[in-house]
Amino acid sequence: QVQPVESGGGLVQAGGSLRLSCAASARTFSSYIVAWFRQAPGKEREFVAAIRWSTIYADSVKGRFTISRDNAKNTVYLQMNNLKPEDTAVYYCAAAGQIYSNWDSKNEYDYWGQGTQVTVSS
C-alpha cells in the first residue's frame, strides 16, 4: 500500500548540510503521518522528526533539521543543517495512518523505507 523510499544520504564534513528525501508512489501518501528515524551502530532506532498538520522534532535536532512535504510529488524532505558527527546513522522514513499515543515511538509506524546512510566526519 505504502512503500517509502529514502534517498539523499552521503558523506559530509561536520557543519555541512544534506537534504534527505522520502518518496512513495501511493496516491494516499499525503494523508499519512510521516516521520524520520535514525539508527547508529550499536544504538536503538531513535526519533528525529515527524509531520502531519504540524511538525515535531527531537531535542537533539531542533534548530538544525527541518521536515517538510510536497504532497504533489508524494515526497517528504528532511533538511539537515550544521551536521555533527553524532548525527551519523542510517536514516529511515516511516509512515503511519494514525498515531495512537506518541509520534516519537517507532511502534506507531506501519511502513518503513530501506534507509539511507548519513556519515558526518569531524
Side-chain angles (χ1 to χ4, degrees):
Q1 185 177 357
V2 176
Q3 179 58 66
V5 178
E6 305 96 333
S7 62
L11 175 64
V12 65
Q13 194 81 18
S17 298
L18 285 172
R19 188 179 74 163
L20 305 183
S21 298
C22 173
S25 60
R27 295 177 181 176
T28 57
F29 189 57
S30 62
S31 68
Y32 284 80
I33 297 92
V34 179
W36 289 94
F37 289 78
R38 66 187 183 186
Q39 188 165 20
K43 303 293 185 180
E44 293 189 4
R45 194 169 299 182
E46 66 175 359
F47 174 79
V48 176
I51 186 169
R52 177 61 169 114
W53 304 117
S54 59
T55 58
I56 58 171
Y57 298 91
D59 288 341
S60 60
V61 306
K62 285 182 179 178
R64 299 189 298 121
F65 291 11
T66 302
I67 188 170
S68 62
R69 73 194 307 167
D70 185 339
N71 288 330
K73 297 180 179 179
N74 284 334
T75 302
V76 172
Y77 303 98
L78 184 69
Q79 178 68 46
M80 306 185 295
N81 297 327
N82 191 24
L83 284 161
K84 304 175 180 180
E86 53 262 43
D87 295 318
T88 295
V90 176
Y91 283 70
Y92 297 91
C93 180
Q98 182 175 347
I99 299 296
Y100 293 93
S101 183
N102 300 111
W103 285 29
D104 61 354
S105 173
K106 64 182 181 181
N107 295 324
E108 297 276 6
Y109 294 86
D110 304 306
Y111 309 101
W112 293 81
Q114 80 287 350
T116 185
Q117 177 71 48
V118 172
T119 302
V120 184
S121 61
S122 60

